Amino acid sequence: MSTIRERIDSAMLHPELRAEGDPDAIIRDGRRLDHAEGTSKPLRPAPEPQPRGAKVRGNRPIDQQEAAARFIAATEHEKMHDERLWDLRQKRDREMHGIPEWEELRSLASAIKEHTLTHLDEYLDQFEANARSNGIHVHWARDAAEHNQIVHGILRDHGATSLIKSKSMLTEECGFRHYMASVGIEVIETDLGERIQQLDNEDPSHVVVPAVHKLRTDVAEVFAHTIGTDPGNSDVHYLAEAQREATRPLILNADAGMTGANFVVAETGTFVVCTNEGNADLSANVPKLHIASIGIEKIIPRLEHLAVFVRLLSRSALGSPMTQYTSHFRGPRAGGEMHVVLVDNGRSERLGLEEFWTSLKCIRCGACMNTCPVYRRSGGLSYGATYSGPIGLIIDPTFNARKYSNLPFASSLNGSCTNVCPVKINIHEQIYAWRRVLVNQHEVPLVKKAAMKAAGALLSRPAAYRAAIAAADTALAHLPRFVIYNGLNAWGKHREVPHPPKQTFHSWYHANRGAKR
Ligand code: SF4
């Protein structure tokens, strides 16, 4: 029975100073020596360091597995990331169940996109003509380099040296910020998550929530280094307000603004930007010069089609009925100037790929990422590419088959991505198709190829397969551990090989059913 003094001591001690469950605690006369030399612990443990993304080495294949293993080893990050994205997936499901015609909307969206993509030249011409008559300057960029040069040219003509921009995956594709830094133009991201990533010199890890892989303590550390906040204060309101205070003057004094676009309407020559922070409206409306960089696949034929996509987008992305801001841009404001840069950057080539062209239907909602078990547990930066998660596995190899040759293998092919995709892209089938293409193009490691060839030969000969299974069963039961669990068995690194059943299905069937026929 403990004394009253001991009970008071125990109740008043900080949990980290209590002896229970602490194997290192030094106990003397039944009391813990809390302040003995070498026994004190910091009251607040050091935050877990943020795992960084894949190591990118020129054209060499990205080792997604290695980066994913580091992310998984950072248990706080992995848990938060997995739970946060699964929460978005569940919210998306709740919203979906509230719309009885959900499946019809998906089919309609898919049909509109497929129709538009198969008449892309006509709708792009129609958009250009209508946009010009609205007073918008329209430019065409074949690739990333041309896009960057066109934007630079517009800024140079206006003597602009600073640009505020809202989130745009297209500009990430183009390496836009690096290019602008090289020509002396300051770029300020206005989306909070994207700004965090910019200040941390990291790419976005998710198409909708760019800093979703970061804990609050990671953000506190980034802001402490860059905008001088208290490194020990990770309160979200404090951090958001500090960032607003630091960035708002830069926004108000910027020479030009840039947005992307979620949808481009051919019949009206207008475009629509959806955000939750209103930051695109700041980028578009504060400076007099507005530049919109838009991928050519963003086009839809008519304004009435917009409703279909707007109903699907935010529900699929964040499980919310609408984005907070759905802004229509119809032309330059009085005294201002508006430019649209329509960017190809490999899209026309992808349109010609029979098995992969429908990936151009993507509206970048991120639902396939939120549901993917590999993405949720490995973080977007482990892919070492602009696009991560299931859709990234299809898009990235179209940019560079060698560099991204490992990515289509980072999937369990469970098909959940396909099930949630609002525009019905057969994502898991395209991932599987990429594996075949990469093997045919000799972009798969020789060891993996040889192993698959041997497995193929074995599986196509039933007698040899059954003999091998019988031999493996005996071997697994008797071989020493080190023969099975060694560096050559990547599968067994984190798993135990299951005990083989006493009887295979084939021998059971032969004994019980086959004999009765
Ligand atoms: S592939 Fe589908 S689910 Fe994934 S981001 Fe694109 S539209 Fe969304």
Side-chain angles (χ1 to χ4, degrees), residues 207-208 313 316-317 359 361-369 390-392 394-395 417-418 420-425 427:
V207 292
V208 176
L313 178 64
S316 300
S359 62
K361 293 191 288 182
C362 177
I363 57 171
R364 308 277 189 266
C365 71
C368 56
M369 300 171 177
I391 187 63
I394 304 170
I395 297 178
C417 46
T418 300
V420 298
C421 178
V423 286
K424 287 198 160 192
I425 301 172
I427 305 172

Side-chain angles (χ1 to χ4, degrees), residues 79-94:
K79 184 170 182 294
M80 174 280 297
H81 194 257
D82 186 21
E83 289 176 356
R84 172 91 208 280
L85 294 172
W86 188 243
D87 180 53
L88 293 181
R89 159 73 209 260
Q90 288 177 314
K91 285 180 177 148
R92 171 255 174 219
D93 289 354
R94 281 199 288 275

Side-chain angles (χ1 to χ4, degrees), residues 54 61-69 374-375 378-379 382-384 406-407 410:
I62 297 287
D63 191 348
Q64 196 264 348
Q65 267 187 4
E66 181 274 332
V374 176
Y375 177 87
S378 55
S382 70
Y383 295 75
N406 284 329
L407 297 190

Side-chain angles (χ1 to χ4, degrees), residues 169-170 172-174 203-204 207 383-388 396 399 404:
M169 292 310 292
L170 175 64
E172 299 293 332
E173 258 180 56
C174 296
D203 293 334
V207 292
Y383 295 75
T386 299
Y387 298 101
S388 51
D396 296 322
F399 290 121
Y404 303 119

